[in-house]
Amino acid sequence: MSFNTKYPSVEDLRSRAKKRIPKFAFEYLDGGCNEDVNLYKNTAEIREVELLPQYLSKHTASSMKTTLFGHEYDAPFGMAPVGLQGLMWPNAPEILAKAASTHNVPFILSTVTTSSIERIGELTEGKAWFQLYHPAKNELRDDILLRCEKAGYDTLVILCDVPTFGFRPRDIRNGLAMPPTMSIKNILQILGKPNWALQTLKHGQPNFETLKPYMPKNLDLKQLGKFMDDTFSGRLNEEKIKPIRDMWKGKLVLKGVANELDAERAINLGLDGIIVSNHGGRQLDAGESTIKPLSRIAKKYGDQIEVMMDSGIRSGPDIARSLASGAKFTFMGRSFMYGVAALGNKGGDHTISLLKTQLQQVMEQICCEKVEDFKNHLID
Ligand SMILES: Cc1cc2nc3c(=O)[nH]c(=O)nc-3n(C[C@H](O)[C@H](O)[C@H](O)COP(=O)(O)O)c2cc1C
């Protein structure tokens, strides 16, 4: 096996991550919003999708290779953008980006994570994608896009499902909401996780590296909250997307699409792809799980735009379920972060290897030779 056999599932990684990192960091990663209904539905409802094996069909080897936006990836999954990754494990974005690049799968860098456009561009030789939180000022937007272009990024992801911050009771209790606070309780939690604390000391306090050039120096946590609030206006609309489409020469992807209406708008705006996503159940607790709109959107628009999906995927069978339901490609947020929080430097490689092994097993089991053939194995 090309992964650590002590952790053969994402749930094993999650359990280890929970033991290794401070409670406030784990809860930030693990939680949904409000009562966690949407978070639960994401993982529960995708598991209702059933696949049809065709045991007696002629079958040679299965291949996971997938061509997307003109690039052949080694597997039909990648790493979704996650903010504040260095809070959950020091150097997490670098560890994951490197692993993704080695395995030839995409890593999406979040605007608000703890590594910079330039550093990740270099580590992945320009193969990473960038996710833009929409800046309030056009000059900032233009500057960030220019930096992406210079660093060799081809694919830009814009986000439509954060018009407001999600209501996340754990983060509010832990002081991680906006504006953030650092309480005695959090400091005690850090002291209880010496390995995390040591690694964090070694690598230094995590910062918003991409945003550093625009931030006044030495902000306290309250001022930081205000800076973030003033700098970004998460609410996206067609007027904000049009100039980005005009400016960005590479592929443009809209993330956070949850229904046919927004999918149709994306097509009309000339976008290249959509990620059907509900932000891992962190924004609208009363929303649908992603597998439901995915099936509808893929059926209706799959031949007009690249339809991808995230939210709720935790295993090879889940990736297969999503592909069989019409996704061209899939992404995961938490699964990879559990991996890196559980296994540090080895976490990215382990999690990718694990998911590849699981997905390969499903393909061989149902006699599916190519990723495009998954749709012939859906029990509708
Ligand atoms: C801790 C955390 C932080 C996130 N931060 C971002 C972000 O900065 N930008 C973004 O587009 N999505 C963000 N997301 C959403 C992910 O990109 C992705 O949509 C989600 O994690 C998918 O669900 P999953 O965790 O069930 O795989 C975040 C998710 C988590 C769990």
Side-chain angles (χ1 to χ4, degrees):
M1 297 277 171
S2 53
F3 54 85
N4 182 336
T5 51
K6 269 164 88 179
Y7 309 100
S9 72
V10 167
E11 187 50 39
D12 292 325
L13 297 170
R14 178 179 176 272
S15 303
R16 182 151 206 249
K18 191 172 183 180
K19 291 193 193 115
R20 291 234 302 176
I21 68 175
K23 189 166 168 231
F24 66 85
F26 182 77
E27 290 192 335
Y28 169 68
L29 169 61
D30 195 58
C33 62
N34 301 84
E35 272 61 58
D36 290 336
V37 175
N38 197 226
L39 171 73
Y40 170 78
K41 275 194 195 164
N42 276 342
T43 47
E45 290 178 3
I46 194 171
R47 290 173 187 191
E48 286 171 13
V49 175
E50 294 170 321
L51 300 183
L52 182 84
Q54 292 170 10
Y55 293 131
L56 296 186
S57 62
K58 215 163 127 209
H59 179 78
T60 50
S62 298
S63 164
M64 273 182 285
K65 288 196 187 295
T66 306
T67 301
L68 179 66
F69 300 142
H71 183 93
E72 189 182 66
Y73 291 105
D74 281 5
F77 62 81
M79 299 184 182
V82 169
L84 278 173
Q85 285 164 305
L87 179 77
M88 291 164 271
W89 193 260
N91 257 3
E94 287 87 355
I95 294 170
L96 291 180
K98 233 196 258 174
S101 179
T102 306
H103 282 269
N104 186 28
V105 296
F107 169 86
I108 312 182
L109 180 73
S110 161
T111 311
V112 293
T113 194
T114 51
S115 193
S116 68
I117 292 172
E118 291 75 14
R119 172 114 175 88
I120 295 297
E122 203 180 293
L123 277 177
T124 59
E125 293 163 10
K127 281 187 290 184
W129 301 11
F130 182 73
Q131 175 261 317
L132 180 76
Y133 263 113
H134 203 274
K137 294 207 174 93
N138 290 345
E139 302 80 68
L140 179 57
R141 175 198 68 195
D142 297 354
D143 196 58
I144 292 178
L145 295 193
L146 200 66
R147 285 171 63 192
C148 287
E149 208 181 299
K150 274 194 189 149
Y153 290 68
D154 274 344
T155 306
L156 177 70
V157 178
I158 48 179
L159 187 67
C160 64
D161 65 2
V162 188
T164 64
F165 277 113
F167 189 94
R168 304 181 191 145
R170 295 178 195 79
D171 295 351
I172 295 171
R173 251 180 259 125
N174 294 332
L176 279 185
M178 286 291 167
T181 51
M182 182 49 83
S183 63
I184 297 285
K185 201 171 75 187
N186 290 353
I187 293 168
L188 288 175
Q189 288 172 14
I190 291 173
L191 294 176
K193 307 288 173 187
N195 202 345
W196 180 95
L198 266 175
Q199 290 297 322
T200 301
L201 266 179
K202 193 170 134 199
H203 291 281
Q205 187 195 323
N207 278 310
F208 294 111
E209 294 294 334
T210 287
L211 301 176
K212 227 175 176 176
Y214 317 113
M215 286 165 79
K217 288 213 168 61
N218 302 323
L219 295 183
D220 67 24
L221 285 175
K222 212 171 180 160
Q223 291 162 331
L224 177 65
K226 184 164 173 356
F227 168 82
M228 296 302 264
D229 253 357
D230 293 345
T231 307
F232 295 100
S233 69
R235 193 173 292 280
L236 205 62
N237 55 34
E238 296 182 65
E239 293 321 304
K240 289 182 185 171
I241 296 177
K242 277 180 193 154
I244 299 181
R245 176 67 292 184
D246 290 342
M247 250 169 25
W248 182 256
K249 302 287 171 270
K251 301 294 179 193
L252 188 59
V253 171
L254 182 65
K255 174 172 182 278
V257 173
N259 57 59
E260 293 88 323
L261 261 180
D262 285 334
E264 195 163 326
R265 286 192 181 115
I267 293 168
N268 293 337
L269 286 162
L271 269 58
D272 302 287
I274 51 177
I275 303 181
V276 180
S277 165
N278 57 31
H279 217 95
R282 294 163 77 81
Q283 290 295 122
L284 177 65
D285 212 25
E288 284 182 295
S289 71
T290 40
I291 195 76
K292 287 188 173 169
L294 168 74
S295 306
R296 302 194 305 262
I297 291 171
K299 225 174 247 163
K300 207 162 165 190
Y301 301 111
D303 54 353
Q304 296 176 55
I305 194 162
E306 299 291 18
V307 178
M308 299 162 271
M309 179 198 140
D310 76 21
S311 300
I313 299 174
R314 301 285 183 272
S315 66
D318 285 349
I319 297 168
R321 289 172 168 121
S322 173
L323 298 168
S325 304
K328 172 88 188 263
F329 208 85
T330 60
F331 288 93
M332 283 154 277
R334 293 184 185 83
S335 298
F336 293 111
M337 286 308 301
Y338 293 142
V340 78
L343 300 175
N345 285 337
K346 298 191 172 137
D349 176 56
H350 172 93
T351 314
I352 298 173
S353 302
L354 172 64
L355 292 166
K356 271 183 173 170
T357 307
Q358 291 185 356
L359 183 61
Q360 185 75 28
Q361 186 276 332
V362 178
M363 293 183 82
E364 300 286 357
Q365 178 73 25
I366 63 174
C367 302
C368 174
E369 287 179 1
K370 298 193 296 294
V371 168
E372 307 87 90
D373 294 342
F374 266 113
K375 51 186 179 310
N376 305 331
H377 293 269
L378 179 71
I379 301 184
D380 220 345

